[in-house]
Amino acid sequence: MNPAPLSGLYAPSLSLVTDLYQLTMAYGYWKKGLQDREAVFHLYFRKPPFSGGYAVCAGLAYAADWLQNLGFSEDDITYLAGLKGSKGTPMFEQGFLDYLRDLKFTCDVDAIAEGTVVFANEPLVRVQGPLIQAQLVETALLTLINFQTLIATKTARIREAAGSDQVLEFGLRRAQGFDGGLSASRAAYLGGADATSNVLAGQRFGIPVKGTHAHSWVMSFEDEEEAFTAYAEAFPDDSVFLVDTYDTLEGVRHAIAVARQMRERGHELAGIRLDSGDLAYLSREARALLDEAGFPKTRIVASNDLDESLITSLKLQGARIDTWGVGTKLVTAYDQPALGGVYKLAALRHADDNGWDFTVKISEQLAKTSIPGILQVRRFETEKGQARADMLYNIAEPLPENLTIIDPLDPTRRRPVRSTTFRELLEPVFRQGKLIMTLPSLQESRERVQREINSLDPSIRRFLNPHTYPVGLEEGLNTFRTNLILEKRPQRPA
Amino acid sequence: MNPAPLSGLYAPSLSLVTDLYQLTMAYGYWKKGLQDREAVFHLYFRKPPFSGGYAVCAGLAYAADWLQNLGFSEDDITYLAGLKGSKGTPMFEQGFLDYLRDLKFTCDVDAIAEGTVVFANEPLVRVQGPLIQAQLVETALLTLINFQTLIATKTARIREAAGSDQVLEFGLRRAQGFDGGLSASRAAYLGGADATSNVLAGQRFGIPVKGTHAHSWVMSFEDEEEAFTAYAEAFPDDSVFLVDTYDTLEGVRHAIAVARQMRERGHELAGIRLDSGDLAYLSREARALLDEAGFPKTRIVASNDLDESLITSLKLQGARIDTWGVGTKLVTAYDQPALGGVYKLAALRHADDNGWDFTVKISEQLAKTSIPGILQVRRFETEKGQARADMLYNIAEPLPENLTIIDPLDPTRRRPVRSTTFRELLEPVFRQGKLIMTLPSLQESRERVQREINSLDPSIRRFLNPHTYPVGLEEGLNTFRTNLILEKRPQRPA
């Protein structure tokens, strides 16, 4: 796989893929001479999507590609030079524009590998470097990682519901434009889909492509049998007939009639597809008709606004479906179409010496209060590799010998750590602006997802009211954070 | 504005932005010698989004650009040549690949101008031309038009709720990747947003860009006053201070303290921004504090998962908000993240003579049964330009003198047409593959939206249970369609 999936798709400079406030802040820092103050930001989410128990990390390959190409082109600078404030004067001084023109990315980036299961408050990406740079990359990192993580997670859930059945993603037409569709197809494959209908995703990422025909194919012929026969002539061993253009069970009978003719010529009908109506009932009827006619191996593909809930329900109803085609509900993550990942400042070098100021964003809701420090995530595991608990800790402080983790939402929930088997989830990706990680292939990340999901207790994987996986702050970090909140929050009399 | 917004963003060939089944059908048609049979397809949706009364058409400029660049590159052909069927043999014959390599777009395309209000079942795009070509363009047209129409419609609703207040779109970080964000910003501006945070959208489309600072700006300084002061030094006349990093009302007091110092130097604080908490309460308190302190002109900007319902509710609660920042809920169209537009075959030339076969896709639900014919949409208006009713009719058949329109979902609802003022909504865009329409600028389309919305009765514009705008089939078309359904649907005994 090309580790730089965007290079071909985009024009050389996409540094303007950002919110204006990143540039106004950059200008402000530059004017104050703060541009090179070392800062640390974390990208994380506050709740797993879909009321689920976990998320599947994705988007790092895109993010790494974008970071590698960070830099402002002459066109970008010209555009920025033309921006005016309300008084009609230029928004930015020439000196700042010259600074941007020469800007090179020199940050350190650590991130959790694509395909890893992750939980609320865990930094998926940590950026450390000059304040302006670390701030400037916020929007693009969020855009790329929020969406792909959302889709990979959605697909992992659909995969969970489908069991070992085949899952096909065909949501391109309902995606947010071309690269919405392209990155959805990539994240869906990573998350567990077996193939996509999106040909560009096939070409760029090597994802298997699948597809048969539309209703219009059937409508282009005198009747269904003629249409199916014509399709079988083109794809004698790979035909899946869409049977619901006029009447589904009549369609199945026509498919069987053509399948008989195909068999006489030495070919087997690969499948039929149901795209409307009561899929539980129709799939059972279709299966019975196919079996009776001697086509027990002809697969039944179903589609029509499917998601993990519908797949689960159809299976409970005894639907006889071999392959699940999922589109709209997957690529839009219909029931929760945004992940809500955020990017927060967590540490800043002292102006005067070499120490750190750790910073916190307060909120009325504790869940929205950020975590200070330069964070690492340590995942404790059983010897068989089952995930037991995650600990967030500040790598700038020494760890005590006896570890205790504390629930950031309920400080009375504490767990001493007994496990000695662990891995550190954040791995070095960039050092001083240079990509040093060999990014895994999409295939490797896809395999990781299934290993990772299997490392979770079923209670965390279930859809309805999943158990909360334990993620805690290392005791020292928790104490530090509590004190910092108390210090920063105004104490108003009751 | 550049009428070809994608050219710069994408690599030369994006013809693989398609579902595989478009190519397998193309191959099937080619093998049957049907590639040049003339066909007509319509792109339409079956229900306005968000349980609303209308939609705002958008995406045509992107679609036109994509169609102009249709064609398979050598790389595309190489990829397709490598695709294999289940038996390991090539999916496509060389002759077909040669055909694709030479393929030029030669269709006629008619479409409804961007910014027009549209209703269920109305073709937004009609493609007429060789079957293979008209079929091949399905996925890309749906991808581009579904999403932008969805977002333009959402924004029109937000604009309706906001009245004459300023609306800023800042959803890039929650969009589906970079061009998800880019096309969302474009469609939002078209639909009525005043500005975007998305700098690339500013550069490419000339949309005004806005933005101030994040919580991290405040956290990068010793305290809020220092942070606000530093920001005001960079933007003395355009500062909007984000006041909720630690405590919102304390933040307002700090903003006022800095605003006083700014005034001494001849500058006025432009605004403050509230991004969390009870926006109704906090905005009233903030307004009172600002007014008391002598800053009645300092604007209050609010954000935090806003949409048209929340804006309406906040206004009812007497919130004192001047500018609404909308992000996630807008760019993902959170409450209905897909439009569900479809693309259906409606007519096919006879094999033997020059006449047409009009085609229909049957469904158990009448709402999902397609409309045959080569359709035009005629909008009848009052002399003052108020929209009264739309009529779908088949341009291949003569119109009777006295027109009657019939509700496609309830044939007992009939209206004779009295109005003689009308316009035909579908306009020629391509003729024989050549772009002949001068595409309006984004600004012109944006102005059209507001005219169009004003042409609708308030009962159709309201959010809750809007009145259904009358869209009917011309009587002859309705009769023809009914007969065709009866003919195609198997008559099963009860």
Side-chain angles (χ1 to χ4, degrees), chain B residues 29-313:
Chain B
Y29 289 133
W30 177 81
K31 279 197 74 104
K32 284 302 254 189
L34 291 173
Q35 62 272 26
D36 292 328
R37 188 97 167 265
E38 194 177 7
V40 177
F41 285 82
H42 298 127
L43 187 158
Y44 61 98
F45 58 86
R46 295 172 181 135
K47 252 178 77 171
F50 318 118
S51 309
Y54 65 89
V56 173
C57 211
L60 182 59
Y62 269 57
D65 186 49
W66 185 81
L67 290 171
Q68 276 196 290
N69 290 293
L70 191 69
F72 293 86
S73 70
E74 230 17 85
D75 278 358
D76 298 341
I77 299 296
T78 304
Y79 170 71
L80 296 175
L83 291 178
K84 299 272 193 290
S86 61
K87 296 272 155 107
T89 51
M91 193 179 281
F92 304 117
E93 287 173 29
Q94 189 56 47
F96 174 67
L97 298 173
D98 294 340
Y99 172 83
L100 282 188
R101 187 188 285 111
D102 296 337
L103 190 74
K104 295 267 176 294
F105 185 62
T106 62
C107 291
D108 291 352
V109 178
D110 294 74
I112 298 181
E114 288 192 287
T116 307
V117 296
V118 287
F119 304 96
N121 297 311
E122 298 183 342
L124 311 189
V125 182
R126 186 180 74 217
V127 179
Q128 176 167 346
L131 182 54
I132 279 192
Q133 295 182 33
Q135 178 72 63
L136 260 180
V137 301
E138 173 181 23
T139 307
L141 290 183
L142 284 171
T143 305
L144 296 172
I145 288 176
N146 269 336
F147 178 60
Q148 295 203 39
T149 298
L150 186 72
I151 299 305
T153 307
K154 188 70 177 169
T155 317
R157 293 164 62 84
I158 288 169
R159 160 58 56 216
E160 182 97 31
S164 57
D165 301 343
Q166 207 176 32
V167 173
L168 309 181
E169 173 273 311
F170 40 74
L172 173 57
R173 64 187 58 192
R174 303 287 160 75
Q176 292 185 4
F178 292 174
D179 81 2
L182 189 63
S183 50
S185 295
R186 179 184 183 277
Y189 185 65
L190 192 153
D194 294 296
T196 181
S197 70
N198 183 338
V199 185
L200 190 65
Q203 184 197 40
R204 298 214 183 231
F205 300 125
I207 303 173
V209 288
K210 294 268 178 196
T212 58
H213 67 79
H215 297 118
S216 56
W217 174 270
V218 174
M219 291 154 73
S220 298
F221 294 85
E222 272 305 302
D223 57 40
E224 272 186 329
E225 281 200 38
E226 190 187 323
F228 294 161
T229 303
Y231 199 79
E233 282 168 22
F235 300 98
D237 300 303
D238 295 284
S239 278
V240 176
F241 299 149
L242 178 60
V243 292
D244 72 335
T245 304
Y246 304 117
D247 178 276
T248 302
L249 295 179
E250 278 301 299
V252 177
R253 290 187 190 97
H254 296 148
I256 288 170
V258 176
R260 289 201 171 104
Q261 296 158 21
M262 290 166 68
R263 188 172 277 175
E264 282 169 22
R265 291 190 293 274
H267 302 294
E268 287 295 305
L269 175 60
I272 61 162
R273 178 155 77 96
L274 312 173
D275 188 40
S276 61
D278 185 324
L279 296 177
Y281 167 76
L282 292 171
S283 67
R284 286 196 307 264
E285 294 291 310
R287 183 75 273 158
L289 290 171
L290 287 165
D291 289 355
E292 257 168 54
F295 296 95
K297 289 195 173 161
T298 294
R299 299 168 66 83
I300 298 180
V301 183
S303 52
N304 193 17
D305 285 346
L306 296 175
D307 65 7
E308 67 272 36
S309 312
L310 262 172
I311 292 172
T312 303
S313 163

Side-chain angles (χ1 to χ4, degrees), chain B residues 373-391:
Chain B
I374 303 171
L375 302 182
Q376 174 58 280
V377 184
R378 183 173 288 189
R379 177 159 297 165
F380 294 99
E381 295 173 324
T382 65
E383 280 175 21
K384 287 186 173 164
Q386 290 299 104
R388 288 182 58 86
D390 288 4
M391 175 178 81

Side-chain angles (χ1 to χ4, degrees), chain A residues 19 135 179 197 216 247 492, chain B residues 19 135 179 197 216 247 492:
Chain A
D19 294 303
Q135 177 72 63
D179 81 1
S197 69
S216 56
D247 178 277
R492 259 178 287 166
Chain B
D19 293 304
Q135 178 72 63
D179 81 2
S197 70
S216 56
D247 178 276
R492 261 179 285 167

Side-chain angles (χ1 to χ4, degrees), chain B residues 287-362:
Chain B
R287 183 75 273 158
L289 290 171
L290 287 165
D291 289 355
E292 257 168 54
F295 296 95
K297 289 195 173 161
T298 294
R299 299 168 66 83
I300 298 180
V301 183
S303 52
N304 193 17
D305 285 346
L306 296 175
D307 65 7
E308 67 272 36
S309 312
L310 262 172
I311 292 172
T312 303
S313 163
L314 284 166
K315 289 194 157 224
L316 283 171
Q317 294 171 70
R320 298 293 302 277
I321 293 165
D322 305 292
T323 298
W324 306 88
V326 282
T328 308
K329 295 284 170 85
L330 196 168
V331 303
T332 65
Y334 205 90
D335 51 327
Q336 189 191 318
L339 178 63
V342 295
Y343 186 82
K344 294 291 174 193
L345 180 69
L348 205 57
R349 280 276 184 210
H350 286 168
D352 35 9
D353 63 39
N354 215 16
W356 288 99
D357 273 328
F358 300 116
T359 59
V360 71
K361 153 82 184 86
I362 314 280

